[in-house]
Amino acid sequence: MLQALLASIWLPEAASKNADAHDPLFYFILAVNIFFSSLIMAMLIFFIFKYRHKEGRPHDPTAGHSTALELTWTILPTLLVLVIFYYGFRGYLHANVVPPNADRVMANGAMWKWTFTYDTGLTDDELHLVINRPTEMILNSADVIHDLDVPAFRMKKDVVPGRYNKEWFEPTKAGTYDVYCAMYCGTGHSIMLAKCVVQSQADFDHWMEDKLVWEDKVSLIDRGAALYKTMGCAQCHTLDGSRSTGPSWKDVYGFEIPLVGGGTVLADDAYIVESILQPSKKIVATYEDKMPQDFGSKLKPNDVTALTWYIRSLSTKGGDLTTGKKVGLVKHAGAGANSSAPATAPSVDVSTQPSNK
């Protein structure tokens, strides 16, 4: 009961087995600090009054050496430190030894967006986990140092560019929990948020199937609009023509785009696909080469097509968008039925591009 009361004051609700290793130690250290801080403050106030200066009072003799006192303030702190070290080391081992049956999810940090890639190849901006099932997180950054922090799971670890860090947790309560970046990473640090949804295996499987097989449920343009948000495109590309880290998507399609080093290129389907999969190949004039290079592994060919249609829909030269607004146009291996390819499919064969499937 006392721990539950303290948790409501000091820590968010515990929702993983990791909390069993960390919370008791946290409260023990907190109690030790409160006890000794209160003791020192009480003694300080007592001595202020007891030994305050008084007229005519002779000076007290200088205190001598006390072996008992020396042993007390040496042995007692040492014992407390050893207790803290023992339980802290156990917690450290628990946090760093991944169970052999753990699921795997890659957390991708980029200014200023979290995306999560699952073994099925799906990349989404929400972290979905199965209750009472351990999950190993593979942490990767596309730009600067971030830090994946799920307070309810009592786990956080740096996400470093050019390096893969790992952490794991086993959620014990169904629900939706906050995911933060706990390392200052630039002007958008405070908005680098995500949600972690803990659910049953059946609900997780249903969510995964719904995300993977979208072609018969969502139009290409609507799918592209969703990807614009979930894949972090909105962090760098505006839709109203205003300048940001990357070029605005408004009125790009069908126009001549000036390039770094001189020359121009027509922003047609092939150029857009190339810019998504090989963003360093043609850099728009006055912009820097800052786009992540891994969208070829995160996006399936149909997703690249959907983004192309969405960019077309934002341009006055987008042409006939009827096909992109219909549902069930792209044939999917699991979708069955007689769906047909877009009438104006990209001239680059995206089916040959990398996929996680």
Side-chain angles (χ1 to χ4, degrees):
M1 182 179 294
L2 178 60
Q3 181 168 322
L5 175 62
L6 288 173
S8 66
I9 301 173
W10 296 101
L11 295 174
E13 176 188 14
S16 81
K17 284 190 175 180
N18 304 71
D20 297 337
H22 299 301
D23 285 12
L25 180 60
F26 171 84
Y27 292 124
F28 176 74
I29 295 174
L30 178 64
V32 169
N33 278 278
I34 291 175
F35 174 78
F36 282 104
S37 296
S38 301
L39 177 63
I40 293 171
M41 184 58 66
M43 294 176 65
L44 178 63
I45 295 173
F46 172 74
F47 290 149
I48 287 174
F49 284 96
K50 180 174 177 60
Y51 297 107
R52 69 187 184 278
H53 175 72
K54 294 180 180 178
E55 291 294 335
R57 176 177 177 175
H59 290 289
D60 293 327
T62 303
H65 176 75
S66 173
T67 302
L69 187 59
E70 293 280 358
L71 290 174
T72 299
W73 68 39
T74 300
I75 295 175
L76 184 59
T78 300
L79 292 176
L80 289 173
V81 169
L82 289 175
V83 170
I84 292 171
F85 173 80
Y86 173 74
Y87 287 101
F89 188 63
R90 284 184 56 182
Y92 172 82
L93 291 179
H94 175 81
N96 284 274
V97 178
V98 182
N101 62 331
D103 295 333
R104 296 184 64 182
V105 178
M106 175 170 283
N108 309 284
M111 296 188 291
W112 290 276
K113 182 77 175 179
W114 291 113
T115 56
F116 304 97
T117 302
Y118 300 82
D119 285 344
T120 59
L122 172 71
T123 297
D124 197 72
D125 63 346
E126 282 189 346
L127 175 59
H128 282 245
L129 304 175
V130 178
I131 189 170
N132 295 324
R133 185 172 180 82
T135 298
E136 178 185 18
M137 303 296 299
I138 311 298
L139 312 177
N140 180 46
S141 171
D143 36 50
V144 299
I145 298 178
H146 302 283
D147 190 299
L148 184 72
D149 180 17
V150 188
F153 295 166
R154 308 296 191 262
M155 290 299 293
K156 62 184 292 295
K157 183 163 282 191
D158 286 351
V159 184
V160 183
R163 171 180 168 184
Y164 290 96
N165 280 346
K166 297 180 180 181
E167 66 176 348
W168 75 277
F169 28 70
E170 183 175 341
T172 56
K173 295 182 180 179
T176 302
Y177 304 96
D178 294 320
V179 180
Y180 299 95
C181 176
M183 175 68 71
Y184 181 72
C185 54
T187 57
H189 168 69
S190 61
I191 63 171
M192 192 168 173
L193 308 171
K195 292 294 183 182
C196 174
V197 180
V198 179
Q199 54 199 159
S200 66
Q201 183 69 60
D203 289 340
F204 177 85
D205 292 341
H206 177 76
W207 171 81
M208 181 63 68
E209 180 182 3
D210 189 61
K211 284 287 185 176
L212 287 173
V213 187
W214 56 266
E215 288 86 348
D216 288 345
K217 307 167 188 173
V218 181
S219 70
L220 287 167
I221 292 177
D222 288 341
R223 172 65 174 174
L227 288 170
Y228 170 77
K229 298 177 182 178
T230 60
M231 297 303 298
C233 308
Q235 313 304 120
C236 297
H237 302 279
T238 67
L239 304 181
D240 58 4
S242 60
R243 186 179 178 88
S244 185
T245 305
S248 175
W249 285 4
K250 180 177 175 61
D251 285 334
V252 167
Y253 188 90
F255 289 84
E256 292 287 336
I257 306 298
L259 302 176
V260 170
T264 62
V265 62
L266 176 65
D268 56 7
D269 295 43
Y271 168 75
I272 292 173
V273 172
E274 181 183 69
S275 297
I276 294 172
L277 301 179
Q278 303 176 59
S280 298
K281 194 167 184 179
K282 295 184 178 73
I283 307 300
V284 178
T286 74
Y287 289 93
E288 297 180 22
D289 182 12
K290 290 188 174 182
M291 184 166 166
Q293 306 290 315
D294 58 351
F295 283 106
S297 61
K298 291 181 181 179
L299 295 170
K300 292 182 171 57
N302 288 352
D303 290 334
V304 177
T305 304
L307 281 170
T308 305
W309 275 95
Y310 180 57
I311 294 174
R312 285 186 59 185
S313 72
L314 300 171
S315 175
T316 55
K317 295 185 178 181
D320 184 4
L321 301 176
T322 303
T323 304
K325 292 180 179 178
K326 293 180 180 178
V327 178
L329 295 169
V330 182
K331 188 171 183 180
H332 188 281
N338 303 313
S339 49
S340 58
T344 54
S347 55
V348 171
D349 184 5
V350 296
S351 64
T352 63
Q353 300 301 329
S355 167
N356 278 348
K357 291 196 72 174

